[in-house]
Amino acid sequence: MIRRFVSVTASTCAAVLLSSMAWAQAIGPVERARPVQGDPGISSMQVLDLPEYRVLQDYAEPNAVRRMHNHPDATFHVFTLLTGQLVLTVEGEEPKEVKAGQVLSLKGGARHTFKNTGTVTATIVEVFGKAPAAPK
């Protein structure tokens, strides 16, 4: 009984440790991000929402996939990977390996998907341009 308890406790501790090690690379207030419905292991939070642009901070756990999607109202899209590594695929283009520190410019409204191919949680910052408000 004690041996089984020690075994279960050790495996539980290992799982918690590995999970926290994966999050150790993430930057920012991870706890404020909310899960993206339908995309297990992906979470997101809005950082800024101004008339000219909005900024999101996203987190992708190891092996998590953000399904193909777009931001139809975006006039431009800047995709910055702060930590981790992933493969980004823009519809109609070849998949691209992205490493921490890389900044990519996507066409506004482009359909895209990404997968975390690394062993740590990826931190992504996305900036989306907004069309000017119509004059009143």
Side-chain angles (χ1 to χ4, degrees), residues 27-130:
I27 295 174
V30 177
E31 68 283 351
R32 286 191 10 220
R34 299 290 169 244
V36 174
Q37 191 169 18
D39 291 338
I42 304 289
S43 56
S44 183
M45 67 179 178
Q46 187 167 279
V47 178
L48 284 174
D49 190 12
L50 300 174
E52 301 85 13
Y53 61 91
R54 77 175 174 279
V55 180
L56 298 181
Q57 188 154 334
D58 307 318
Y59 300 97
E61 295 175 24
N63 296 310
V65 176
R66 177 70 168 109
R67 67 181 162 222
M68 185 66 76
H69 67 286
N70 73 337
H71 308 272
D73 60 336
T75 58
F76 66 83
H77 183 171
V78 178
F79 187 97
T80 305
L81 183 62
L82 300 179
T83 64
Q85 65 184 45
L86 47 82
V87 172
L88 173 71
T89 304
V90 176
E91 190 172 63
E93 298 180 15
E94 291 295 315
K96 186 178 297 185
E97 286 190 31
V98 184
K99 305 281 185 198
Q102 283 187 275
V103 178
L104 304 171
S105 176
L106 282 63
K107 183 179 174 186
R111 290 179 51 79
H112 60 287
T113 179
F114 56 84
K115 177 180 182 176
N116 183 343
T117 55
T119 58
V120 299
T121 298
T123 306
I124 305 146
V125 171
E126 297 181 276
V127 180
F128 306 98
K130 294 181 179 181

